[in-house]
Amino acid sequence: MLVGIIFIIFGILIMVYPQLLSIIVAVFIISVGITLTSISYHFKKIKREADNPFVDFFIRF
């Protein structure tokens, strides 16, 4: 329920301030990029320590 209320508030704020949408999207894309980079780094670190077929299949670099 709290998440729904937060989405409604964000929707109202985006209607009032359209520039806010670009900021929200930019923050989302940056956070997804940071998350994927940290996960990739973690899996590469695990690959050095132990052989894992999941890591070999999905992360080849």
Side-chain angles (χ1 to χ4, degrees), residues 43 46-47 49-58:
F43 278 136
I46 289 175
K47 183 179 179 183
E49 296 173 4
D51 189 30
N52 187 348
F54 175 79
V55 174
D56 290 337
F57 183 74
F58 287 107

Side-chain angles (χ1 to χ4, degrees), residues 3-21 24:
V3 176
I5 294 171
I6 291 172
F7 278 132
I8 291 171
I9 292 171
F10 279 154
I12 292 170
L13 286 174
I14 288 170
M15 283 186 345
V16 175
Y17 303 107
Q19 300 88 3
L20 189 62
L21 177 62
I24 291 172

